[in-house]
Amino acid sequence: MHDPDCLFCKIIAGQIPSSKVYEDEDMLVFKDIHPAAPVHLLMVPKLHIASMAQVGAEQAPLLGRMLAKAPQLALDNGCNPYPQGGFRLMVNTGEEGGQEVHHLHIHLLGGPRPWKKG
Ligand code: AMP
Ligand code: ZN
């Protein structure tokens, strides 16, 4: 399912370029264009799901597979190892949740402090 007006669907389709770091049948992972930390990746399901507000039991396996990829993605892309290093996963949801792009995505932030935000 794709939304022709969705920025991340266009990136997934290759219509808009991105700095891809990982791809499989479930997800595309690319660098955030305005990084808020030394490592700032966006983990995006290939399926168009508008936000976390639309997620239910049906999406649990997909989200589980995405979350389970985060540790390896973090280490492969410059996050330092746990516990001195680590990373932050964040899913902004809806206007009041700070969501700007309405295609579900998991922010993966990490690297040495200080970060631009938080
Ligand atoms: P959110 O506010 O959670 O919806 O996050 C959207 C994120 O997408 C922001 O951190 C933006 O910097 C990022 N972003 C917007 N356009 C692009 C793009 N073309 N390529 C990569 N990241 C983008
Ligand atoms: Zn989309």
Side-chain angles (χ1 to χ4, degrees):
M1 195 171 86
H2 293 277
D3 178 342
D5 298 322
C6 170
L7 173 64
F8 287 174
C9 281
K10 288 179 186 170
I11 288 177
I12 290 160
Q15 293 162 359
I16 290 176
S18 70
S19 299
K20 177 173 90 174
V21 303
Y22 177 79
E23 181 173 14
D24 65 21
E25 62 185 10
D26 292 319
M27 72 189 102
L28 184 67
V29 184
F30 53 91
K31 294 182 182 176
D32 195 293
I33 205 165
H34 294 127
V39 180
H40 189 171
L41 306 179
L42 297 175
M43 305 178 64
V44 180
K46 289 188 170 175
L47 190 68
H48 179 88
I49 301 167
S51 83
M52 198 66 204
Q54 281 73 36
V55 167
E58 202 180 318
Q59 286 79 29
L62 170 64
L63 287 197
R65 290 194 294 274
M66 291 182 70
L67 285 175
K69 267 284 167 206
Q72 193 63 54
L73 286 167
L75 291 176
D76 286 351
N77 288 280
C79 293
N80 293 311
Y82 176 92
Q84 286 81 13
F87 53 86
R88 172 182 293 175
L89 302 179
M90 196 169 66
V91 185
N92 298 328
T93 306
E95 302 295 337
E96 293 180 348
Q99 185 179 10
E100 291 175 2
V101 178
H102 289 263
H103 180 131
L104 179 64
H105 52 283
I106 303 171
H107 294 258
L108 191 164
L109 300 127
R113 298 279 181 166
W115 296 354
K116 279 186 192 157
K117 300 176 200 165

